[in-house]
Amino acid sequence: MRRRRVFRTRATVPKQTGMTDALLSPAAVTPPKPSPFHGLTVKWVRHWTDSLFSFAVERPEDFRFRSGEFVMIGLPGEDGGKPVLRAYSIASPGWAEELEVFSIKVADGPLTSRLQKIQAGDTVLMGKKPTGTLVLDALTGGERLWLIGTGTGLAPWLAVARDPDTYSRFGQVIVCHTVRNVADLAYRDFFSREIHDDPLIGDEARAQLVYYPTVTRERFETPGRITDRIKSGDLFADLGLPIGFSPNTDRVMLCGSMAMIKETGELLESYGLKEGSNAEPGDYVLERAFVG
């Protein structure tokens, strides 16, 4: 008797193509690259003069900084171009819920020609990495802290002067602000009066803070450049202090024009003060990212 031959067939599985593998493999899906900037809503804008303005933006929950640091601020590029950014000192203390900026206006400036036109509700860009040397960490201990600035170089002092650590570390805090015209003394009312009502450091500011403005191009009770008033001794006489800076008692921060920073730095060195940094704290600091 002849046996029947039974043929068994194998089930065939279609071979996957490379494209199918790529679609099925989670590792092959490239996540979008995170933006290096925060897009932040403008809370308010204040125009001081035709050449000066301030604004504030919301603070991201994960944004941490030390009072006196700076960060990149800007706007998206026009016609799809790269963002236009520049470094701005954060004019708010490290505990603030809003981040304030104090800026000049330049009619044909690549950034400020547009930035000066922002309104509440608009969006600006802010970098995610604050940095800088105008911080208390870069200074050794002392009795008196001088915050010397010109123009919008006042911005970091708006942060440092509202930081409780400033008043616990120094018995006296002196804010020196030099401008060309009286109208350029933005925040004059704040340092003269309003800071005394601050719920966190108001009492300390009333007892320990001194505001010393000077004006170079108009009549004013304290006229001239701050460097001239240092060299003449008028600054110290006006404040009832011994003439000159002492490395034993005085600590200094500098921000503003390159000419002022260079000249004041040389004066401080002549008195025996040494420049400090985050890595090696000293008697005075300046922001080299701005002055080169």
Side-chain angles (χ1 to χ4, degrees):
M1 183 175 179
R2 182 179 296 179
R3 294 182 180 179
R4 291 184 179 178
R5 299 179 66 183
V6 179
F7 295 91
R8 302 181 183 275
T9 59
R10 289 184 179 180
T12 59
V13 179
K15 186 177 181 180
Q16 293 180 335
T17 64
M19 181 177 295
T20 306
D21 290 341
L23 291 174
L24 295 177
S25 174
V29 179
T30 303
K33 187 176 181 180
S35 171
F37 309 111
H38 291 289
L40 303 178
T41 301
V42 176
K43 308 295 286 186
W44 55 261
V45 182
R46 177 172 182 177
H47 295 272
W48 302 95
T49 68
D50 291 340
S51 60
L52 296 170
F53 74 110
S54 298
F55 65 92
V57 296
E58 59 185 350
R59 178 177 180 170
E61 291 184 1
D62 61 349
F63 186 74
R64 301 289 181 268
F65 68 98
R66 297 173 297 171
S67 298
E69 289 189 314
F70 70 89
V71 71
M72 302 303 293
I73 298 281
L75 294 169
E78 296 181 291
D79 300 323
K82 292 183 178 180
V84 183
L85 305 150
R86 62 158 286 191
Y88 280 98
S89 291
I90 302 171
S92 301
W95 53 262
E97 295 181 358
E98 294 182 344
L99 303 178
E100 191 168 342
V101 175
F102 182 30
S103 177
I104 60 172
K105 303 177 186 178
V106 180
D108 57 351
L111 176 59
T112 58
S113 61
R114 297 170 54 205
L115 194 62
Q116 64 182 290
K117 299 174 183 177
I118 61 172
Q119 299 178 0
D122 289 345
T123 299
V124 300
L125 302 178
M126 185 184 76
K128 297 181 178 180
K129 296 181 179 180
T131 188
T133 54
L134 299 178
V135 293
L136 296 177
D137 291 341
L139 292 175
T140 56
E143 298 178 10
R144 187 179 299 112
L145 176 63
W146 298 82
L147 304 174
I148 301 177
T150 57
T152 55
L154 180 73
W157 313 156
L158 289 160
V160 176
R162 283 185 279 179
D163 192 318
D165 288 346
T166 300
Y167 300 96
S168 63
R169 286 193 55 182
F170 298 94
Q172 186 176 36
V173 180
I174 303 172
V175 176
C176 300
H177 188 206
T178 296
V179 297
R180 294 176 178 177
N181 303 301
V182 177
D184 298 331
L185 288 172
Y187 298 97
R188 184 182 184 185
D189 289 343
F190 174 78
F191 278 113
S192 299
R193 220 174 36 251
E194 295 167 8
I195 193 172
H196 299 157
D197 298 324
D198 187 286
L200 190 61
I201 50 85
D203 292 341
E204 290 82 356
R206 187 186 299 275
Q208 298 170 242
L209 179 71
V210 176
Y211 174 58
Y212 189 86
T214 78
V215 176
T216 61
R217 295 189 179 181
E218 290 183 333
R219 292 178 62 86
F220 196 66
E221 54 263 33
T222 46
R225 299 185 305 162
I226 190 65
T227 47
D228 290 339
R229 299 191 73 81
I230 291 172
K231 289 185 286 187
S232 69
D234 289 342
L235 168 63
F236 308 100
D238 290 342
L239 299 176
L241 297 173
I243 293 179
F245 297 98
S246 169
N248 297 323
T249 57
D250 294 300
R251 299 296 177 263
V252 187
M253 292 183 175
L254 305 174
C255 188
S257 73
M258 293 178 63
M260 183 279 289
I261 290 175
K262 183 177 184 298
E263 187 173 2
T264 308
E266 292 172 351
L267 288 169
L268 295 175
E269 292 281 345
S270 72
Y271 283 111
L273 277 70
K274 301 301 180 184
E275 184 179 352
S277 65
N278 283 297
E280 189 174 349
D283 305 320
Y284 76 94
V285 289
L286 54 90
E287 191 51 78
R288 291 201 170 276
F290 294 159
V291 303

